[in-house]
Amino acid sequence: MRLLYKNCALLFPLLLGLTACGGGQESNPVRDDPFDRTMDVADEAVFYDRLQQAETSYQKSFNYAITSDDVSNIDDAGYNLAIIKLGLNNVQDAMKTVEKTTNELKIRGQEISPQLDLVNAAIFYRMNRLSDAALAAKNAEKSKDEDIQERAYFLSALIANDAGNVNDIVQYSQKLDQLLSQSKTKIEKSWQADQKELHALLAYRQGQYEQAMTAAKEAQDIRRDQVEYRAMVRTLALQGLISEGEKNFVSAAQFYVRAGKSALLLKDYVDAKKYLDRAASLHADQLTYQLASDALVDLGKKTSKTSE
């Protein structure tokens, strides 16, 4: 299985963000030239955050996979194409891509793969269909691939958090800890960031704010170093929540502004509005309020242009 940019599985501005992730696994010695050539072009486009170019190339790869009737390539190209569409905030298109890929696998005697379950989970999560997201993530956990398992545990914990299920957050945080401690491969930095983020989230839920803030800052630093900016936005917002728990509303507003402005520049307009609105609503101090208000005006201009 050719998992090229596994962080792009959640990528999704949840989560998961889609950015210049780490390098992919080595290609198989025997190459399907048209397929691999377009996949390589798409990989490079992802690395440089040229997502529309990547979308075009992954679509070509998918078509080549259909042409060659290669089940594994159909699965991988469909997986990557769906992820890119999520990164472009085209949730419905991502869902259609998973459905199309699944149908192509079924007529070749294959069931939906764990990696497609993972993308489905992320899609449902983005649509706030938490029960469906939890079920799909549970199916993804069955994968024998540690990359998929890791992302499934992490996403399941985020789903549990949104559902207010602290016990499940504990369970999936422990599963992730165990996976990292027993992994036979080199631990990815992004996995460490996921682990720190879950530790921070759980500590926040348990009212251990100092411990939560330490873990959240560590996660943020790793996200920044790994150029996982969309995921870093989430850690900034988490620090805003922790600061609110500590009744430090000035600090909370500042974290929300930082998260909101980053999300705005990443064109994640839904999250940008959510964080900037929260920053402004706190009325913490004049400077932070003004920065939030100015950014909201800028956001309004950008969203009005996209709707024209």
Side-chain angles (χ1 to χ4, degrees), residues 8-9 30 109 115 132 136 196 218 230 244:
C8 302
V30 178
Q115 62 180 4
D132 291 331
K196 295 291 185 183
E218 290 174 348
R230 287 177 172 83
E244 284 196 76

Side-chain angles (χ1 to χ4, degrees), residues 75-93:
D75 193 6
D76 289 345
Y79 168 80
N80 286 349
L81 181 59
I83 286 173
I84 290 297
K85 289 181 181 296
L86 271 178
L88 291 168
N89 294 319
N90 296 329
V91 179
Q92 293 298 328
D93 283 351

Side-chain angles (χ1 to χ4, degrees), residues 261-274:
K261 288 172 72 70
S262 290
L264 177 59
L265 291 169
L266 291 166
K267 299 182 181 180
D268 293 336
Y269 297 140
V270 173
D271 281 348
K273 188 175 190 311
K274 178 173 64 176

Side-chain angles (χ1 to χ4, degrees), residues 67-78:
T67 302
S68 62
D69 201 41
D70 189 307
V71 171
S72 179
N73 285 352
I74 291 170
D75 193 6
D76 289 345

Side-chain angles (χ1 to χ4, degrees), residues 14-277:
L14 75 0
L15 260 168
L16 348 133
L18 176 59
T19 57
C21 310
Q25 296 178 352
E26 293 181 2
S27 301
N28 293 329
V30 178
R31 294 173 61 85
D32 173 7
D33 287 341
F35 176 82
D36 283 296
R37 183 168 59 251
T38 51
M39 289 287 267
D40 290 343
V41 171
D43 295 349
E44 183 177 359
V46 172
F47 186 83
Y48 290 107
D49 207 25
R50 298 194 294 264
L51 302 190
Q52 290 180 329
Q53 179 183 339
E55 181 183 23
T56 299
S57 294
Y58 281 139
Q59 181 63 64
K60 290 180 180 178
S61 298
F62 186 78
N63 293 342
Y64 280 128
I66 297 292
T67 302
S68 62
D69 201 41
D70 189 307
V71 171
S72 179
N73 285 352
I74 291 170
D75 193 6
D76 289 345
Y79 168 80
N80 286 349
L81 181 59
I83 286 173
I84 290 297
K85 289 181 181 296
L86 271 178
L88 291 168
N89 294 319
N90 296 329
V91 179
Q92 293 298 328
D93 283 351
M95 177 174 283
K96 290 177 182 177
T97 298
V98 173
E99 290 175 353
K100 184 176 181 179
T101 305
T102 301
N103 289 339
E104 293 293 343
L105 294 176
K106 283 182 177 179
I107 65 171
R108 291 168 174 82
Q110 303 293 318
E111 296 298 326
I112 184 171
S113 65
Q115 62 180 4
L116 289 179
D117 280 320
L118 183 63
V119 182
N120 260 336
I123 291 170
F124 291 139
Y125 182 81
R126 288 278 293 277
M127 299 172 71
N128 202 36
R129 292 168 53 178
L130 298 184
S131 296
D132 291 331
L135 179 60
K138 189 75 174 177
N139 290 334
E141 291 177 31
K142 300 173 185 177
S143 173
K144 296 179 181 179
D145 190 292
E146 287 187 347
D147 294 332
I148 300 298
Q149 289 178 6
E150 192 276 337
R151 301 310 290 175
Y153 293 154
F154 180 65
L155 180 53
S156 292
L158 295 181
I159 295 167
N161 179 63
D162 282 16
N165 191 332
V166 178
N167 288 336
D168 277 1
I169 301 174
V170 173
Q171 175 188 343
Y172 284 111
S173 181
Q174 290 174 343
K175 284 186 175 182
L176 185 58
D177 289 345
Q178 184 177 15
L179 178 65
L180 267 63
S181 67
Q182 296 179 352
S183 177
K184 298 178 181 179
T185 61
K186 181 180 179 181
I187 302 301
E188 298 282 348
K189 288 288 187 180
S190 59
W191 292 16
Q192 295 176 354
D194 290 348
Q195 183 183 45
K196 295 291 185 183
E197 187 172 340
L198 291 192
H199 289 175
L201 186 59
L202 186 57
Y204 163 73
R205 283 284 191 171
Q206 296 172 337
Q208 301 171 354
Y209 299 129
E210 184 177 352
Q211 180 180 339
M213 186 63 78
T214 298
K217 287 183 180 297
E218 290 174 348
Q220 179 193 345
D221 289 342
I222 297 173
R223 301 289 194 205
R224 183 191 297 111
D225 291 344
Q226 294 298 109
V227 202
E228 297 175 1
Y229 295 143
R230 287 177 172 83
M232 191 190 74
V233 168
R234 193 174 56 250
T235 63
L236 285 168
L238 177 55
Q239 289 173 76
L241 280 173
I242 296 167
S243 296
E244 284 196 76
E246 295 174 321
K247 308 300 182 184
N248 187 343
F249 298 112
V250 172
S251 178
Q254 290 171 348
F255 278 121
Y256 288 133
V257 167
R258 290 161 60 184
K261 288 172 72 70
S262 290
L264 177 59
L265 291 169
L266 291 166
K267 299 182 181 180
D268 293 336
Y269 297 140
V270 173
D271 281 348
K273 188 175 190 311
K274 178 173 64 176
Y275 300 141
L276 293 170
D277 278 343

